[in-house]
Amino acid sequence: MTKKRRNGGRNKHGRGHVNFQRCSNCGRAVPKDKAIKRFLIKNIVESAAVRDLSEASVYESYVLPKLYVKMQYCISCAIHSKQVRNRSREARKDRSPPPRFRPRREEKK
C-alpha cells in the first residue's frame, strides 16, 4: 500500500493511542496529534469602542487586555477556513516550517 505522507498525517510516533479533542468549528472528534492548532488573539474590546474607552479612562496609557483562545480544527474545517492548504507531491516533502507572520511596528520619528 502506498503512503501519501511520511507521518500518516499525525504526530503520534511511538504512541499507540492519543486522546481525542473536539473541533472548535464543527465539533468533530479529532485525535490531539492530528488536529490543526492555532492561537486566536483578539482584543476584548471591539475596535469601535476603543477610542471611547481611552477618552473616558482616568489612566493615560492603559493597555487593553487581549483574549487568547486556542483553536483546534479538524482537517476539513482547517482547509475550508484556509488555515492550511493542500500541497503538491514535491511540496509535501518540504518539512521546513512556514514563515512566521509578524506585523511590523511603525517607528515614530
Side-chain angles (χ1 to χ4, degrees), residues 19-61:
N19 290 330
F20 282 83
Q21 295 177 332
R22 291 290 179 169
C23 172
S24 301
N25 192 34
C26 67
R28 170 187 266 166
V30 192
K32 184 180 179 184
D33 58 325
K34 189 172 190 170
I36 310 294
K37 297 171 255 319
R38 297 284 186 265
F39 258 111
L40 180 68
I41 304 169
K42 294 194 307 188
N43 289 326
I44 289 180
V45 182
E46 61 188 35
S47 58
V50 170
R51 187 168 159 228
D52 298 336
L53 263 174
S54 60
E55 288 174 357
S57 177
V58 178
Y59 303 106
E60 290 179 21
S61 61

Side-chain angles (χ1 to χ4, degrees), residues 34-88:
K34 189 172 190 170
I36 310 294
K37 297 171 255 319
R38 297 284 186 265
F39 258 111
L40 180 68
I41 304 169
K42 294 194 307 188
N43 289 326
I44 289 180
V45 182
E46 61 188 35
S47 58
V50 170
R51 187 168 159 228
D52 298 336
L53 263 174
S54 60
E55 288 174 357
S57 177
V58 178
Y59 303 106
E60 290 179 21
S61 61
Y62 179 69
V63 179
L64 290 169
K66 294 183 185 274
L67 190 66
Y68 295 90
V69 183
K70 188 173 186 184
M71 305 291 281
Q72 289 119 357
Y73 297 103
C74 65
I75 300 298
S76 359
C77 288
I79 291 170
H80 182 72
S81 62
K82 297 181 181 174
Q83 298 289 327
V84 291
R85 55 178 62 166
N86 56 353
R87 300 190 293 174
S88 66

Side-chain angles (χ1 to χ4, degrees), residues 7 9-20 31-35 37:
N7 60 3
R10 300 184 66 164
N11 192 16
K12 185 175 68 90
H13 307 289
R15 287 182 275 280
H17 180 265
V18 291
N19 290 330
F20 282 83
K32 184 180 179 184
D33 58 325
K34 189 172 190 170
K37 297 171 255 319

